[in-house]
Amino acid sequence: MNSQRIKISASMMCADFSHLDNVLLELKRANVDALHFDIMDGHFVPNIALGPDLVRSLRNKTDLLFDTHLMVQNPDNYFDMFAEAGSDILVFHAEACTHPFRAIQRIRAYGLKAGIAINPATPLSAVDYVLDQIDMVLIMTVEPGFAGQDFISSMVHKVRTLRDIIFQRKLKIDIEVDGHINKRTIPDLAGAGANVFVGGSSGLFIPGLSIAEAVKIMRDSALSNYSC
Ligand code: DX5
Ligand code: ZN
């Protein structure tokens, strides 16, 4: 088991914005691996959240990896903005992008990592031809758009199938999971091969639990079952 492959990415839309400096400090102390920015445009998803100004202002305060999840139509129109703001990896949705090969090339031209995301009902075939071009696949484990939704358990099988394809093709791609990720859902997902876990309202920002405790619980849940 390669424990260094397990990463916890903190979903910033679930953070307490009235104490963002403290949150950032706690996240650093808790050794999270990345900050996950859920960018929502009100079109691809029926919600509006986060933007480049937040990414840019936090970029000045931390060298943590910035994992930007673009839940937007025509994501190519926003690569400039989020590259300039300080993202390290740009993740766009297969459902929202007409020319994914071109999109990946553009992300690479900024010197950034590229990831592709798929909604729960989107089959893995949607990413099949770009797998050898990307650094990460994000499997949504809830419908994108809102925190606090129920986990869609059939996504464990999707993760396992993707892990097997990646293994057969001898690729090195992270598998990120996003939506209701916590100590109850992580063991099965880690067992199926997921290695990047987005901590939101159900796993990381929990009233009565410190961020450090929550990160430890998430990481331990993943390490106990990770199978790659
Ligand atoms: C869905 C979001 C959530 C977010 C919140 O669009 O991207 O998945 O991470 O996490 P939970 O589901 O724990 O509230
Ligand atoms: Zn996300």
Side-chain angles (χ1 to χ4, degrees), residues 66-90:
F66 279 16
D67 163 22
T68 300
H69 176 194
L70 297 166
M71 281 173 269
V72 301
Q73 281 300 351
N74 301 317
D76 338 31
N77 294 343
Y78 303 89
F79 292 162
D80 266 358
M81 202 180 275
F82 286 97
E84 181 272 331
S87 302
D88 295 294
I89 176 162
L90 291 178

mmCIF file of all heavy atoms in Angstrom, residues 66-90:
data_model
loop_
_atom_site.group_PDB
_atom_site.id
_atom_site.type_symbol
_atom_site.label_atom_id
_atom_site.label_comp_id
_atom_site.label_asym_id
_atom_site.label_seq_id
_atom_site.Cartn_x
_atom_site.Cartn_y
_atom_site.Cartn_z
ATOM 1 N N PHE A 66 -3.899 23.694 -5.006
ATOM 2 C CA PHE A 66 -5.250 24.210 -5.275
ATOM 3 C C PHE A 66 -5.900 23.374 -6.379
ATOM 4 O O PHE A 66 -5.466 23.379 -7.526
ATOM 5 C CB PHE A 66 -5.207 25.680 -5.713
ATOM 6 C CG PHE A 66 -5.094 26.661 -4.573
ATOM 7 C CD1 PHE A 66 -4.716 26.257 -3.300
ATOM 8 C CD2 PHE A 66 -5.373 28.002 -4.765
ATOM 9 C CE1 PHE A 66 -4.626 27.158 -2.236
ATOM 10 C CE2 PHE A 66 -5.292 28.917 -3.725
ATOM 11 C CZ PHE A 66 -4.908 28.495 -2.454
ATOM 12 N N ASP A 67 -6.974 22.693 -5.969
ATOM 13 C CA ASP A 67 -7.696 21.742 -6.805
ATOM 14 C C ASP A 67 -9.015 22.438 -7.186
ATOM 15 O O ASP A 67 -9.920 22.549 -6.358
ATOM 16 C CB ASP A 67 -7.884 20.514 -5.884
ATOM 17 C CG ASP A 67 -8.918 19.509 -6.311
ATOM 18 O OD1 ASP A 67 -9.252 19.457 -7.485
ATOM 19 O OD2 ASP A 67 -9.377 18.747 -5.413
ATOM 20 N N THR A 68 -9.091 22.945 -8.412
ATOM 21 C CA THR A 68 -10.242 23.757 -8.811
ATOM 22 C C THR A 68 -11.213 22.930 -9.661
ATOM 23 O O THR A 68 -10.861 22.480 -10.753
ATOM 24 C CB THR A 68 -9.769 25.012 -9.581
ATOM 25 O OG1 THR A 68 -8.915 25.763 -8.714
ATOM 26 C CG2 THR A 68 -10.944 25.874 -10.002
ATOM 27 N N HIS A 69 -12.397 22.739 -9.120
ATOM 28 C CA HIS A 69 -13.432 21.893 -9.731
ATOM 29 C C HIS A 69 -14.444 22.812 -10.405
ATOM 30 O O HIS A 69 -15.263 23.450 -9.736
ATOM 31 C CB HIS A 69 -14.066 21.039 -8.613
ATOM 32 C CG HIS A 69 -15.203 20.183 -9.054
ATOM 33 N ND1 HIS A 69 -16.064 19.578 -8.169
ATOM 34 C CD2 HIS A 69 -15.621 19.823 -10.291
ATOM 35 C CE1 HIS A 69 -16.961 18.884 -8.841
ATOM 36 N NE2 HIS A 69 -16.723 19.020 -10.124
ATOM 37 N N LEU A 70 -14.380 22.844 -11.737
ATOM 38 C CA LEU A 70 -15.208 23.766 -12.511
ATOM 39 C C LEU A 70 -16.552 23.130 -12.839
ATOM 40 O O LEU A 70 -16.657 22.344 -13.788
ATOM 41 C CB LEU A 70 -14.471 24.152 -13.796
ATOM 42 C CG LEU A 70 -13.154 24.912 -13.590
ATOM 43 C CD1 LEU A 70 -12.350 24.939 -14.879
ATOM 44 C CD2 LEU A 70 -13.419 26.324 -13.083
ATOM 45 N N MET A 71 -17.561 23.468 -12.058
ATOM 46 C CA MET A 71 -18.926 22.989 -12.347
ATOM 47 C C MET A 71 -19.614 24.079 -13.151
ATOM 48 O O MET A 71 -20.524 24.764 -12.668
ATOM 49 C CB MET A 71 -19.656 22.693 -11.038
ATOM 50 C CG MET A 71 -19.247 21.363 -10.446
ATOM 51 S SD MET A 71 -19.945 21.110 -8.816
ATOM 52 C CE MET A 71 -18.627 21.782 -7.848
ATOM 53 N N VAL A 72 -19.136 24.255 -14.374
ATOM 54 C CA VAL A 72 -19.599 25.359 -15.215
ATOM 55 C C VAL A 72 -19.793 24.854 -16.642
ATOM 56 O O VAL A 72 -19.118 23.910 -17.069
ATOM 57 C CB VAL A 72 -18.576 26.525 -15.226
ATOM 58 C CG1 VAL A 72 -18.325 27.049 -13.822
ATOM 59 C CG2 VAL A 72 -17.247 26.108 -15.865
ATOM 60 N N GLN A 73 -20.691 25.500 -17.370
ATOM 61 C CA GLN A 73 -20.820 25.235 -18.816
ATOM 62 C C GLN A 73 -19.626 25.834 -19.525
ATOM 63 O O GLN A 73 -19.099 26.851 -19.084
ATOM 64 C CB GLN A 73 -22.084 25.905 -19.367
ATOM 65 C CG GLN A 73 -23.376 25.175 -19.107
ATOM 66 C CD GLN A 73 -23.423 23.755 -19.697
ATOM 67 O OE1 GLN A 73 -22.567 23.334 -20.458
ATOM 68 N NE2 GLN A 73 -24.438 23.026 -19.299
ATOM 69 N N ASN A 74 -19.213 25.259 -20.603
ATOM 70 C CA ASN A 74 -18.083 25.770 -21.396
ATOM 71 C C ASN A 74 -16.889 26.132 -20.519
ATOM 72 O O ASN A 74 -16.467 27.296 -20.471
ATOM 73 C CB ASN A 74 -18.521 26.994 -22.213
ATOM 74 C CG ASN A 74 -19.665 26.641 -23.149
ATOM 75 O OD1 ASN A 74 -19.642 25.586 -23.791
ATOM 76 N ND2 ASN A 74 -20.681 27.473 -23.193
ATOM 77 N N PRO A 75 -16.339 25.171 -19.828
ATOM 78 C CA PRO A 75 -15.254 25.475 -18.878
ATOM 79 C C PRO A 75 -14.061 26.160 -19.531
ATOM 80 O O PRO A 75 -13.367 26.942 -18.872
ATOM 81 C CB PRO A 75 -14.876 24.101 -18.325
ATOM 82 C CG PRO A 75 -15.430 23.099 -19.298
ATOM 83 C CD PRO A 75 -16.633 23.734 -19.886
ATOM 84 N N ASP A 76 -13.844 25.906 -20.815
ATOM 85 C CA ASP A 76 -12.700 26.523 -21.517
ATOM 86 C C ASP A 76 -12.684 28.046 -21.364
ATOM 87 O O ASP A 76 -11.629 28.661 -21.384
ATOM 88 C CB ASP A 76 -12.690 26.200 -23.018
ATOM 89 C CG ASP A 76 -13.464 24.965 -23.404
ATOM 90 O OD1 ASP A 76 -14.466 24.628 -22.734
ATOM 91 O OD2 ASP A 76 -13.065 24.347 -24.402
ATOM 92 N N ASN A 77 -13.893 28.633 -21.218
ATOM 93 C CA ASN A 77 -13.961 30.096 -21.078
ATOM 94 C C ASN A 77 -13.395 30.590 -19.759
ATOM 95 O O ASN A 77 -13.219 31.794 -19.579
ATOM 96 C CB ASN A 77 -15.418 30.576 -21.170
ATOM 97 C CG ASN A 77 -16.000 30.347 -22.540
ATOM 98 O OD1 ASN A 77 -15.244 30.139 -23.489
ATOM 99 N ND2 ASN A 77 -17.315 30.357 -22.653
ATOM 100 N N TYR A 78 -13.131 29.668 -18.834
ATOM 101 C CA TYR A 78 -12.716 30.084 -17.487
ATOM 102 C C TYR A 78 -11.296 29.644 -17.128
ATOM 103 O O TYR A 78 -10.822 29.921 -16.031
ATOM 104 C CB TYR A 78 -13.703 29.544 -16.439
ATOM 105 C CG TYR A 78 -15.122 29.974 -16.700
ATOM 106 C CD1 TYR A 78 -15.957 29.219 -17.509
ATOM 107 C CD2 TYR A 78 -15.612 31.162 -16.163
ATOM 108 C CE1 TYR A 78 -17.250 29.621 -17.789
ATOM 109 C CE2 TYR A 78 -16.907 31.575 -16.420
ATOM 110 C CZ TYR A 78 -17.719 30.797 -17.228
ATOM 111 O OH TYR A 78 -19.003 31.213 -17.493
ATOM 112 N N PHE A 79 -10.639 28.922 -18.042
ATOM 113 C CA PHE A 79 -9.293 28.420 -17.701
ATOM 114 C C PHE A 79 -8.334 29.568 -17.396
ATOM 115 O O PHE A 79 -7.597 29.521 -16.415
ATOM 116 C CB PHE A 79 -8.722 27.568 -18.842
ATOM 117 C CG PHE A 79 -9.432 26.257 -19.056
ATOM 118 C CD1 PHE A 79 -9.280 25.567 -20.260
ATOM 119 C CD2 PHE A 79 -10.236 25.706 -18.070
ATOM 120 C CE1 PHE A 79 -9.928 24.357 -20.464
ATOM 121 C CE2 PHE A 79 -10.897 24.497 -18.278
ATOM 122 C CZ PHE A 79 -10.736 23.832 -19.479
ATOM 123 N N ASP A 80 -8.358 30.602 -18.264
ATOM 124 C CA ASP A 80 -7.509 31.794 -18.059
ATOM 125 C C ASP A 80 -7.611 32.306 -16.628
ATOM 126 O O ASP A 80 -6.630 32.459 -15.924
ATOM 127 C CB ASP A 80 -8.082 32.960 -18.897
ATOM 128 C CG ASP A 80 -7.424 33.068 -20.227
ATOM 129 O OD1 ASP A 80 -6.515 32.266 -20.483
ATOM 130 O OD2 ASP A 80 -7.842 33.951 -20.998
ATOM 131 N N MET A 81 -8.870 32.572 -16.285
ATOM 132 C CA MET A 81 -9.217 33.168 -15.005
ATOM 133 C C MET A 81 -8.686 32.362 -13.814
ATOM 134 O O MET A 81 -8.091 32.912 -12.897
ATOM 135 C CB MET A 81 -10.745 33.176 -14.974
ATOM 136 C CG MET A 81 -11.423 34.117 -14.098
ATOM 137 S SD MET A 81 -13.214 33.855 -14.306
ATOM 138 C CE MET A 81 -13.560 34.859 -15.719
ATOM 139 N N PHE A 82 -8.902 31.046 -13.871
ATOM 140 C CA PHE A 82 -8.524 30.239 -12.709
ATOM 141 C C PHE A 82 -7.056 29.825 -12.734
ATOM 142 O O PHE A 82 -6.481 29.522 -11.686
ATOM 143 C CB PHE A 82 -9.474 29.047 -12.555
ATOM 144 C CG PHE A 82 -10.803 29.481 -12.031
ATOM 145 C CD1 PHE A 82 -11.865 29.704 -12.891
ATOM 146 C CD2 PHE A 82 -10.976 29.748 -10.682
ATOM 147 C CE1 PHE A 82 -13.083 30.159 -12.425
ATOM 148 C CE2 PHE A 82 -12.189 30.204 -10.193
ATOM 149 C CZ PHE A 82 -13.249 30.407 -11.066
ATOM 150 N N ALA A 83 -6.449 29.854 -13.898
ATOM 151 C CA ALA A 83 -4.992 29.636 -13.955
ATOM 152 C C ALA A 83 -4.315 30.853 -13.341
ATOM 153 O O ALA A 83 -3.445 30.740 -12.473
ATOM 154 C CB ALA A 83 -4.552 29.432 -15.398
ATOM 155 N N GLU A 84 -4.745 32.015 -13.782
ATOM 156 C CA GLU A 84 -4.145 33.269 -13.280
ATOM 157 C C GLU A 84 -4.373 33.427 -11.774
ATOM 158 O O GLU A 84 -3.525 33.925 -11.049
ATOM 159 C CB GLU A 84 -4.753 34.447 -14.069
ATOM 160 C CG GLU A 84 -4.238 35.828 -13.699
ATOM 161 C CD GLU A 84 -5.025 36.454 -12.553
ATOM 162 O OE1 GLU A 84 -6.225 36.149 -12.385
ATOM 163 O OE2 GLU A 84 -4.412 37.218 -11.793
ATOM 164 N N ALA A 85 -5.516 32.945 -11.292
ATOM 165 C CA ALA A 85 -5.834 33.084 -9.861
ATOM 166 C C ALA A 85 -4.953 32.193 -8.984
ATOM 167 O O ALA A 85 -4.847 32.421 -7.781
ATOM 168 C CB ALA A 85 -7.306 32.768 -9.621
ATOM 169 N N GLY A 86 -4.343 31.168 -9.588
ATOM 170 C CA GLY A 86 -3.406 30.364 -8.794
ATOM 171 C C GLY A 86 -3.761 28.901 -8.626
ATOM 172 O O GLY A 86 -3.224 28.237 -7.729
ATOM 173 N N SER A 87 -4.604 28.358 -9.498
ATOM 174 C CA SER A 87 -4.933 26.926 -9.398
ATOM 175 C C SER A 87 -3.714 26.081 -9.774
ATOM 176 O O SER A 87 -2.890 26.507 -10.596
ATOM 177 C CB SER A 87 -6.057 26.574 -10.370
ATOM 178 O OG SER A 87 -7.191 27.358 -10.112
ATOM 179 N N ASP A 88 -3.630 24.895 -9.199
ATOM 180 C CA ASP A 88 -2.581 23.941 -9.584
ATOM 181 C C ASP A 88 -3.131 22.878 -10.518
ATOM 182 O O ASP A 88 -2.427 22.369 -11.367
ATOM 183 C CB ASP A 88 -2.006 23.255 -8.338
ATOM 184 C CG ASP A 88 -1.288 24.244 -7.454
ATOM 185 O OD1 ASP A 88 -0.260 24.771 -7.896
ATOM 186 O OD2 ASP A 88 -1.780 24.511 -6.335
ATOM 187 N N ILE A 89 -4.389 22.505 -10.286
ATOM 188 C CA ILE A 89 -5.044 21.540 -11.180
ATOM 189 C C ILE A 89 -6.422 22.087 -11.531
ATOM 190 O O ILE A 89 -7.152 22.557 -10.644
ATOM 191 C CB ILE A 89 -5.095 20.115 -10.567
ATOM 192 C CG1 ILE A 89 -5.873 19.159 -11.483
ATOM 193 C CG2 ILE A 89 -5.675 20.098 -9.163
ATOM 194 C CD1 ILE A 89 -5.609 17.686 -11.194
ATOM 195 N N LEU A 90 -6.750 22.048 -12.819
ATOM 196 C CA LEU A 90 -8.077 22.467 -13.270
ATOM 197 C C LEU A 90 -8.842 21.219 -13.667
ATOM 198 O O LEU A 90 -8.391 20.436 -14.518
ATOM 199 C CB LEU A 90 -7.967 23.410 -14.469
ATOM 200 C CG LEU A 90 -7.385 24.807 -14.198
ATOM 201 C CD1 LEU A 90 -7.299 25.612 -15.503
ATOM 202 C CD2 LEU A 90 -8.249 25.565 -13.182
#
